[in-house]
Amino acid sequence: MKVLVTGANGFIGKNLLMHLREKGGFEVVPFSRQHTEQDLPGLLDGVDWVIHLAGINRPENPSEFVTGNTGLTQTLCDAVKQCGRQIPIIYSSSIQAERENDYGTSKRAAEGALLALNEATDNPVYIYRLPNVFGKWARPNYNSAVATFCHNVARDLPVSINDPDAVINLVYVDDVVNHFLSLLEGKNSNPGPFVEVEPVYQISVGGLADQLNRFKATRENLITEQVGTGLTRALYATYVSYLPPERFTYTVPQHGDDRGVFVEMLKTRDAGQFSFFTAHPGVTRGGHYHHSKTEKFLVIKGDACFRFRHMLTGEFYELFTAGDKPEIVETVPGWTHDITNVGDDELVCMLWANEIFDRDNPDTFACPVGTEA
């Protein structure tokens, strides 16, 4: 499938082209600032779809809104009409088209050109009145508060906020791109002409800044946000994408003694924490029980013996595991337990606990396991 993408070097365009390359089966014809409007008829040759992303939103002169938004779109419509065949057009408009300002007026007029083409020739058009789009590769200090805030927070620069209670509507660039792709692949039956991307997220400007600063604080307190779904997932991916390469790494505290070292890696507010420890040959770690806390151990290097004893019945159990056999060992409340390095090399073991360690209420009580049933 041959696709003409205008604004191919812009924020959405860069993300779109990456996805099209990953999908395969698409031949992309890019249109960018190095081209002129006169190039459009030739670029349309053999094209199956047009994704029209090009436009002006930060001109030096307001008249550029008309030429860069309305004029370019009209030229595109004329070129499609003159080619004598239908070429579906996806257009990235803006929610500003609903407002009376220079930018919004120019986008609304561009929509009008597309609607006129559709009415005259039945050429399919899909108009997206997008709210603020955010994600990787957006330009900071341009027209995206998310990009600017991410860039500044990631570099310890101040963030300027005029009204922290002002609410902004956001769509994630991956959701926008996936919606475009669903049209290209025939998976979206929306007849148009106006189409919406979902989900649309809402957050206050102050809330956005607070969330990004919590992401930053994770490197100090090790407590991660709930970055697996929804807006927090998308914002975290965006924030991390603005980290300069020299900040790709960070150190975490290491606690060591004669037995080995213990390092906490990541903590969650509702699903526990992750860490690892080492043990020298012959060293035993643990020797305690819990009332409610549970743990999962995974030996990733060395040989280990786990021992358990029931606190009421005295029942004894031991098992052996090693780094070459991925096997989770789970501790059970009411059983005292320990782990001994029974190999000749250092033991390295990953550990998950279902809760963040609380020094004031550790739910950890010393009690030797012993070595016999």
Side-chain angles (χ1 to χ4, degrees):
M1 181 183 295
K2 194 173 183 179
V3 183
L4 170 63
V5 179
T6 73
N9 291 334
F11 159 48
I12 299 177
K14 290 175 181 176
N15 281 274
L16 173 63
L17 264 59
M18 182 69 71
H19 281 263
L20 289 172
R21 285 196 293 268
E22 292 163 359
K23 285 278 187 180
F26 291 98
E27 178 185 350
V28 175
V29 180
F31 176 91
S32 60
R33 294 185 185 276
Q34 70 186 35
H35 297 93
T36 67
E37 293 184 10
Q38 289 69 37
D39 295 323
L40 281 172
L43 294 175
L44 283 172
D45 183 37
V47 163
D48 300 296
W49 278 83
V50 174
I51 302 180
H52 182 28
L53 307 175
I56 298 292
N57 52 28
R58 281 288 186 94
E60 294 183 3
N61 189 315
S63 64
E64 296 178 50
F65 282 132
V66 177
T67 57
N69 294 327
T70 308
L72 178 62
T73 304
Q74 184 63 64
T75 300
L76 174 64
C77 291
D78 292 342
V80 170
K81 188 174 183 179
Q82 291 168 10
C83 81
R85 60 190 182 88
Q86 291 190 348
I87 306 176
I89 302 173
I90 295 172
Y91 179 50
S92 62
S93 187
S94 167
I95 55 172
Q96 293 292 322
E98 302 171 0
R99 302 175 185 176
E100 295 302 324
N101 56 54
D102 290 338
Y103 176 62
T105 300
S106 69
K107 296 296 277 188
R108 188 166 62 250
E111 295 176 358
L114 289 162
L115 294 172
L117 172 67
N118 173 256
E119 184 175 355
T121 67
D122 206 30
N123 192 92
V125 297
Y126 303 90
I127 299 170
Y128 288 81
R129 285 188 171 178
L130 297 172
N132 298 280
V133 184
F134 72 101
K136 64 183 182 299
W137 304 333
R139 191 196 314 178
N141 302 307
Y142 185 58
N143 66 338
S144 169
V146 175
T148 302
F149 284 17
C150 286
H151 177 271
N152 287 13
V153 171
R155 289 163 175 77
D156 303 324
L157 299 175
V159 171
S160 177
I161 299 175
N162 295 323
D163 181 4
D165 295 325
V167 174
I168 50 178
N169 294 320
L170 301 171
V171 288
Y172 186 42
V173 68
D174 283 9
D175 293 327
V176 174
V177 169
N178 286 332
H179 213 282
F180 291 170
L181 292 176
S182 71
L183 285 173
L184 266 60
E185 297 174 334
K187 297 178 181 178
N188 189 326
S189 58
N190 193 311
F194 289 95
V195 192
E196 295 182 354
V197 173
E198 294 181 343
V200 176
Y201 301 108
Q202 286 191 331
I203 190 170
S204 69
V205 177
L208 171 62
D210 290 343
Q211 179 63 82
L212 298 179
N213 279 303
R214 287 196 296 273
F215 291 153
K216 179 181 178 181
T218 293
R219 293 190 168 194
E220 298 294 330
N221 61 30
L222 304 184
I223 301 176
T224 185
E225 297 291 293
Q226 293 181 324
V227 296
T229 58
L231 176 59
T232 310
R233 170 183 178 268
L235 282 176
Y236 185 66
T238 304
Y239 167 72
V240 172
S241 76
Y242 285 87
L243 289 171
E246 62 271 19
R247 296 196 175 189
F248 284 1
T249 63
Y250 62 101
T251 59
V252 293
Q254 175 176 291
H255 308 281
D257 55 29
D258 293 340
R259 299 172 300 171
V261 300
F262 176 78
V263 177
E264 293 176 312
M265 175 188 175
L266 184 71
K267 302 177 182 180
T268 72
R269 290 185 174 86
D270 59 0
Q273 68 176 51
F274 297 85
S275 56
F276 81 88
F277 64 84
T278 67
H280 301 308
V283 165
T284 297
R285 305 193 70 139
H288 55 241
Y289 66 92
H290 314 292
H291 287 297
S292 298
K293 179 184 295 186
T294 61
E295 300 160 317
K296 295 179 186 289
F297 294 82
L298 174 64
V299 173
I300 58 176
K301 177 188 174 184
D303 300 280
C305 173
F306 286 85
R307 297 185 178 91
F308 302 84
R309 188 179 297 276
H310 196 282
M311 293 302 299
L312 292 184
T313 67
E315 180 182 354
F316 178 85
Y317 181 72
E318 72 175 5
L319 61 89
F320 295 86
T321 188
D324 58 1
K325 179 185 179 183
E327 183 176 34
I328 302 295
V329 179
E330 194 154 23
T331 63
V332 178
W335 290 72
T336 188
H337 52 271
D338 62 27
I339 175 174
T340 301
N341 181 352
V342 293
D344 297 326
D345 300 317
E346 180 182 57
L347 176 73
V348 180
C349 187
M350 292 181 61
L351 169 63
W352 170 84
N354 71 308
E355 59 191 39
I356 296 176
F357 181 73
D358 182 353
R359 294 186 182 279
D360 296 327
N361 184 27
D363 189 15
T364 301
F365 303 91
C367 182
V369 178
T371 58
E372 297 179 0

